[in-house]
């Protein structure tokens, strides 16, 4: 009898949840439930992410302002459109991978943006993988959620938006091993998970709208400060007469161990297969790190949060860029800011 009462209570709870959710909660959507996937922004990351979807069998339509990359996709037999809006008008899902918050606002809410045609939308789901500030993510998500769907299918009662920035860089985008940090409605996240796993190997649900963007800028903030600390320690050690390779062994077997020392060492000659081994090329550009630190600093200022290390890191990477090293990997701070020496 007790078991029966418990089961009846659980069923009652399930009905209550269904009545407040814009989706049928926890429903498992197969990859076939989405038809065409629109992809906007075919830069170093976006082009490779779109390729992963195509290789996994999705029907994809693309747009970018770079006509050469559009020709490249057209030559592969991929549908290309001359505007982001045209892509959205024929897609069930739209993914954006754009350079900045202003670009995202323009594509979604600008003069020829997704939302300019009124409150009826074709796409059921928008996924923004751009690295932007949380405030902009939440603003755009709210605008999307205020719209309605032209065609209600598969339990979707309203369009949804996820902010889903990535970690891993160009090589991970190429290999389909990105990590997605996702904010937005959990049911939308579950529906989109097959798409994420076509482009990456890890997906982490971060909570409500804007939390994916928050996770990304916090991750890159920690990464920047870690790289500065490790680079400063290596350069100081060299100046005091100890080799960076010796310090690396010590760091990696003691309390100083971190990703910047054991997986992405900034000292040329210490580790193979990392940007420092190829003159700081092919990694995460210093200009992108400066941009992400600016986002973190601005977000902290908006809420009155003191971030002295963020401010200092932003100054250092901005100086690096102003001195002509903006295209170099951010680990180049060891050479170009601290004047560290290559390991022989």
């Amino acid at each position: 009898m007790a078991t029966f009462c418990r089961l009846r209570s659980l069923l009652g709870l399930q009905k209550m949840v269904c009545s407040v959710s814009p989706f049928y909660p926890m429903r498992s959507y197969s990859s076939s439930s989405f038809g065409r996937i629109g992809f906007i922004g075919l830069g170093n990351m976006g082009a490779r992410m779109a390729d992963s979807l195509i290789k996994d069998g999705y029907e994809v339509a693309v747009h970018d302002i770079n006509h050469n990359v559009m020709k490249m996709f057209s030559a592969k037999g991929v549908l290309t459109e001359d505007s982001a809006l045209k892509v959205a008008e024929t897609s069930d899902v739209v993914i954006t991978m754009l350079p900045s918050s202003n670009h995202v606002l323009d594509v979604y809410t600008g003069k020829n943006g997704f939302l300019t045609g009124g409150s009826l939308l074709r796409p059921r789901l928008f996924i923004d993988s751009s690295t932007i500030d949380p405030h902009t993510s939440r603003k755009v998500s709210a605008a999307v959620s205020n719209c309605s769907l032209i065609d209600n299918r598969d339990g979707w009662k309203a369009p949804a938006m996820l902010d889903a920035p990535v970690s891993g860089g160009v090589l991970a985008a190429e290999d389909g091993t990105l990590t997605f940090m996702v904010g937005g409605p959990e049911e939308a996240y579950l529906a989109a998970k097959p798409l994420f796993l076509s482009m990456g190997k890890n997906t982490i649900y971060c909570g409500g709208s804007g939390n994916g963007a928050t996770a990304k800028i916090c991750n890159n903030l920690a990464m920047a400060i870690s790289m500065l600390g490790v680079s400063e320690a290596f350069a100081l050690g060299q100046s005091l007469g100890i080799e960076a390779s010796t310090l690396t062994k010590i760091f990696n077997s003691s309390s100083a161990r971190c990703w910047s020392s054991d997986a992405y060492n900034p000292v040329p000659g210490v580790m193979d297969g990392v940007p420092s081994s190829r003159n700081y090329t092919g990694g995460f550009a210093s200009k992108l790190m400066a941009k992400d630190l600016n986002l973190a600093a601005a977000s902290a200022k908006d809420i009155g949060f003191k971030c002295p290390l963020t401010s200092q890191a932003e100054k250092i990477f901005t100086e690096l860029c102003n001195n002509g090293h903006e295209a170099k990997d951010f680990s180049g701070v060891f050479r170009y800011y601290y004047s560290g020496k290559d390991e022989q």
Side-chain angles (χ1 to χ4, degrees):
M1 181 65 180
T3 302
F4 173 77
C5 291
R6 177 173 173 78
L7 178 59
R8 186 171 61 182
S9 297
L10 289 173
L11 289 172
L13 176 62
Q14 184 182 33
K15 289 178 180 178
M16 181 180 71
V17 172
C18 285
S19 68
V20 298
S21 174
F23 313 94
Y24 293 124
M26 311 306 287
R27 176 173 178 173
S28 177
Y29 293 86
S30 68
S31 59
S32 62
S33 69
F34 292 134
R36 178 175 292 166
I37 310 300
F39 206 106
I40 313 299
L42 303 171
N44 289 333
M45 296 293 293
R48 289 164 172 81
M49 292 164 68
D51 270 334
S52 292
L53 291 169
I54 294 164
K55 290 174 184 175
D56 217 24
Y58 286 99
E59 180 187 356
V60 177
V62 300
H63 171 73
D64 194 274
I65 59 173
N66 185 328
H67 295 295
N68 290 329
V69 74
M70 290 277 279
K71 289 178 181 177
M72 181 183 74
F73 273 86
S74 182
K76 298 176 184 178
V78 178
L79 176 64
T80 60
E81 298 284 8
D82 59 11
S83 75
L85 181 58
K86 285 185 179 180
V87 170
E89 287 173 341
T90 59
S91 299
D92 293 320
V93 180
V94 175
I95 302 172
T96 50
M97 187 60 157
L98 302 166
S100 70
S101 298
N102 287 337
H103 290 94
V104 172
L105 285 171
D106 185 56
V107 166
Y108 280 84
T109 62
K111 183 179 178 181
N112 296 307
F114 299 145
L115 310 184
T116 56
S119 61
L120 287 177
L121 301 177
R122 161 68 188 269
R124 285 171 278 163
L125 179 61
F126 293 89
I127 300 171
D128 181 40
S129 288
S130 315
T131 299
I132 61 174
D133 64 279
H135 174 73
T136 298
S137 285
R138 290 169 180 146
K139 179 180 178 180
V140 175
S141 179
V144 169
S145 65
N146 284 331
C147 296
S148 300
L149 289 171
I150 293 174
D151 179 18
N152 294 342
R153 287 181 293 151
D154 297 317
W156 295 74
K157 296 181 180 179
M161 183 172 180
L162 298 170
D163 47 289
V166 300
S167 180
V170 173
L171 291 178
E174 181 80 40
D175 296 337
T177 57
L178 292 166
T179 292
F180 286 85
M181 296 158 268
V182 189
E186 187 172 7
E187 296 88 348
Y189 162 72
L190 293 172
K193 201 167 183 180
L195 296 174
F196 295 137
L197 293 178
S198 287
M199 300 178 282
K201 66 175 183 179
N202 295 309
T203 68
I204 301 170
Y205 180 63
C206 303
S209 175
N211 282 10
T214 298
K216 176 61 186 287
I217 62 174
C218 289
N219 179 78
N220 283 17
L221 159 61
M223 183 170 68
I225 292 173
S226 170
M227 183 58 73
L228 289 173
V230 166
S231 296
E232 189 169 295
F234 281 142
L236 175 61
Q238 287 181 334
S239 298
L240 295 174
I242 187 171
E243 292 183 345
S245 56
T246 302
L247 273 179
T248 296
K249 293 175 184 177
I250 294 168
F251 288 1
N252 292 346
S253 59
S254 68
S255 56
R257 183 177 184 179
C258 62
W259 180 82
S260 297
S261 68
D262 74 355
Y264 211 81
N265 196 289
V267 183
V270 171
M271 183 178 290
D272 293 330
V274 294
S276 62
S277 70
R278 48 181 185 266
N279 198 31
Y280 300 106
T281 60
F284 187 65
S286 292
K287 65 180 179 182
L288 297 179
M289 181 57 82
K291 169 209 160 189
D292 290 356
L293 288 167
N294 178 266
L295 291 173
S299 296
K301 183 178 180 180
D302 285 344
I303 60 171
F305 186 80
K306 293 181 179 179
C307 281
L309 295 181
T310 302
S311 299
Q312 187 61 31
E314 183 189 10
K315 289 178 182 176
I316 290 173
F317 281 102
T318 299
E319 180 180 327
L320 210 64
C321 294
N322 292 340
N323 289 336
H325 307 299
E326 68 276 3
K328 295 291 187 180
D329 180 73
F330 79 107
S331 64
V333 71
F334 169 77
R335 174 189 287 172
Y336 302 116
Y337 184 82
Y338 289 109
S339 301
K341 303 296 189 295
D342 293 10
E343 188 85 354
Q344 300 300 320

